[in-house]
Amino acid sequence: MRRRTYLSTVASGTALAVAGCTGSDDTDDSDDPDEESDGNVSDGDGGDDGGDGNSSDGEMGQQLDEPLDVVIENNYENTYTVAVTVTDDADEAVFEDEVTVATDTSQRLEDVVSETGTYTVEATKAGDVSRSFQWEVDADAEDVYVHISENGEYTVEERDVDA
């Protein structure tokens, strides 16, 4: 009889010991200095993203297949000088130019942006009237058009090149 009691006790103890080993541990035991994080998040190819604590989304700052342009169209009866400034999300100028556009003509400013990101396009007509446009540049982005209409009003917008 003692043998059955002994086996029953051993079996119960073993079951309890194994049950504690198979459960999941939801706590973070990162007290080990070898396992401390330096704030870098893997970019998916084994490297890190440079140490700023942000993960790489793989979209910002990538080279576009073809650079994008800014086109200035003047459908008004007067010739206008238009200054165009493109700044990045850090408010750094990445492109600046000033062109004179005769009536019923257009002027293409080529290769204005060649990387993905967020840009602000500011167009100033006649030295004082300014319009701006937030340009979200990704692989599907289109050129930006500054359009001076027949009544002298103007807009800045993203538009398909073929439009």
Side-chain angles (χ1 to χ4, degrees), residues 50-76:
D52 63 359
N54 296 324
S55 65
S56 173
D57 61 7
E59 297 214 11
M60 301 310 284
Q62 286 187 345
Q63 203 70 20
L64 296 171
D65 291 337
E66 288 186 39
L68 296 173
D69 303 336
V70 172
V71 179
I72 303 165
E73 299 174 320
N74 183 8
N75 293 3
Y76 192 54

Side-chain angles (χ1 to χ4, degrees), residues 77-105:
E77 60 191 39
N78 294 335
T79 298
Y80 278 107
T81 299
V82 179
V84 175
T85 303
V86 179
T87 55
D88 61 14
D89 59 354
D91 207 26
E92 299 283 330
V94 296
F95 181 87
E96 294 179 300
D97 201 353
E98 183 175 284
V99 295
T100 301
V101 186
T103 223
D104 291 325
T105 62

Side-chain angles (χ1 to χ4, degrees), residues 3-161:
R3 183 172 182 208
R4 286 186 188 176
T5 304
Y6 173 77
L7 289 175
S8 173
T9 303
V10 169
S12 297
T14 304
L16 288 175
V18 171
C21 294
T22 60
S24 67
D25 183 12
D26 290 337
T27 62
D28 182 15
D29 294 332
S30 58
D31 293 334
D32 185 359
D34 293 336
E35 294 181 14
E36 284 185 23
S37 173
D38 61 1
N40 295 333
V41 179
S42 173
D43 61 5
D45 62 0
D48 64 38
D49 69 351
D52 63 359
N54 296 324
S55 65
S56 173
D57 61 7
E59 297 214 11
M60 301 310 284
Q62 286 187 345
Q63 203 70 20
L64 296 171
D65 291 337
E66 288 186 39
L68 296 173
D69 303 336
V70 172
V71 179
I72 303 165
E73 299 174 320
N74 183 8
N75 293 3
Y76 192 54
E77 60 191 39
N78 294 335
T79 298
Y80 278 107
T81 299
V82 179
V84 175
T85 303
V86 179
T87 55
D88 61 14
D89 59 354
D91 207 26
E92 299 283 330
V94 296
F95 181 87
E96 294 179 300
D97 201 353
E98 183 175 284
V99 295
T100 301
V101 186
T103 223
D104 291 325
T105 62
S106 65
Q107 178 81 29
R108 180 177 292 274
L109 306 175
E110 295 183 351
D111 301 341
V112 172
V113 175
S114 60
E115 293 183 354
T116 58
T118 302
Y119 300 90
T120 300
V121 179
E122 184 172 8
T124 305
K125 176 184 82 165
D128 65 350
V129 179
S130 181
R131 299 281 188 272
S132 64
F133 174 75
Q134 186 91 13
W135 196 8
E136 297 294 333
V137 176
D138 58 19
D140 298 323
E142 302 291 342
D143 292 335
V144 166
Y145 281 75
V146 177
H147 181 247
I148 304 168
S149 68
E150 291 137 0
N151 63 4
E153 292 295 316
Y154 78 110
T155 58
V156 181
E157 62 187 1
E158 184 175 9
R159 191 171 6 147
D160 188 350
V161 177

